[in-house]
Amino acid sequence: NKPIRLCNYFFVTGGPGSGKGTQCEKIVAKYGYTHLSTGDLLRAEVTAGSERGKKLTAIMERGELVPLETVLDMLKDAMIAQSDKAKGFLIDGYPREVQYCNKSSCGPQIGPPTLLLYIDAAAETMVKRLLKRGQTSGRADDNEETIRNRLSTYYSATEPVIGFYEKRGIVRKVMGFAKGVSIYQEKKAQSPHTFHLSGDSPTRAESSSD
Ligand SMILES: Nc1ncnc2c1ncn2[C@H]1C[C@H](O)[C@@H](COP(=O)(O)OP(=O)(O)OP(=O)(O)O)O1
Ligand SMILES: Nc1ncnc2c1ncn2[C@H]1C[C@H](O)[C@@H](COP(=O)(O)O)O1
Ligand SMILES: [Mg+2]
């Protein structure tokens, strides 16, 4: 059991279609970290056509969360495989539930993150992007019904993860509509750049980038 070399871990969270993968690509290009998306790892298992993959397809098509053990199995293998050359890991889409935020439930090989990058975008923006992505992505979950369920799973199960790490002072918010990577620490509970997800219309910056 090869241990994962100690290095920086950045967890990356945000709603479906907020731009986690897009922002991670930019961070990789600029800082050379290793990007691991738990969703991509799960889809690779589906593509491989294993029995486990068939069960995963059904869960993902419903817009629900995959059991933690499955996610951790894949994540640890991927981290171990790349740990010799990784400067740091960007772990995109993990954790998805607040009960998995403490160290012991993450397992001994995935320690607490250096930072949680939170990609913020309005629900209507995310829906619009995912429907557009669905025209070419081939992703089974880029359809209206699954998107609705994924949003609901995100707000009920995953959003509390942000509050958990905010209490520890390690959340950095990335505005998911900005061009390039713009990371800043949210100093106030409600900064002028922040807007609520329900009922808000996109800001000018957001409308212009979509
Ligand atoms: N800042 C942006 N402005 C306009 N479009 C964007 C922006 N960021 C991402 N997109 C587009 C690219 C994709 O087609 C789509 C979703 O982005 P993506 O990076 O795949 O989101 P994500 O990784 O958070 O989604 P998922 O959770 O479904 O994997 O939106
Ligand atoms: N960390 C995860 N825990 C549980 N389920 C997950 C995790 N990462 C991805 N999933 C499942 C559930 C999502 O709807 C799909 C797609 O993930 P995405 O990050 O949007 O590509 O996979
Ligand atoms: Mg993604």
Side-chain angles (χ1 to χ4, degrees), residues 21-157:
T22 302
Q23 297 297 336
C24 282
E25 277 176 29
K26 292 176 186 295
I27 296 170
V28 168
K30 190 159 180 183
Y31 298 100
Y33 291 136
T34 299
H35 175 209
L36 293 176
S37 150
T38 50
D40 288 349
L41 293 172
L42 292 164
R43 282 184 288 279
E45 181 81 11
V46 169
T47 306
S50 65
E51 272 313 302
R52 182 157 80 169
K54 285 179 196 144
K55 288 190 191 126
L56 295 176
T57 307
I59 297 171
M60 291 196 278
E61 278 178 1
R62 290 197 299 269
E64 293 170 2
L65 296 177
V66 165
L68 178 71
E69 314 78 61
T70 308
V71 174
L72 278 181
D73 260 8
M74 293 178 187
L75 194 51
K76 282 181 195 164
D77 286 350
M79 289 174 82
I80 288 167
Q82 307 215 45
S83 100
D84 287 343
K85 58 177 166 63
K87 270 170 71 178
F89 286 103
L90 287 171
I91 305 182
D92 161 359
Y94 178 87
R96 291 296 238 257
E97 287 177 277
V98 79
Q99 78 236 43
Y100 302 135
C101 289
N102 67 60
K103 191 181 170 192
S104 57
S105 54
C106 282
Q109 286 163 317
I110 301 180
T114 310
L115 292 175
L116 175 81
L117 300 185
Y118 161 39
I119 318 295
D120 189 14
E124 63 211 62
T125 301
M126 298 193 277
V127 172
K128 206 166 71 177
R129 286 180 185 169
L130 292 177
L131 288 173
K132 189 169 170 205
R133 188 178 72 181
Q135 292 168 6
T136 54
S137 68
R139 273 182 61 159
D141 56 355
D142 278 348
N143 63 75
E144 213 170 322
E145 192 185 342
T146 312
I147 292 168
R148 210 174 22 246
N149 292 339
R150 294 178 69 205
L151 278 172
S152 150
T153 303
Y154 170 71
Y155 291 122
S156 60

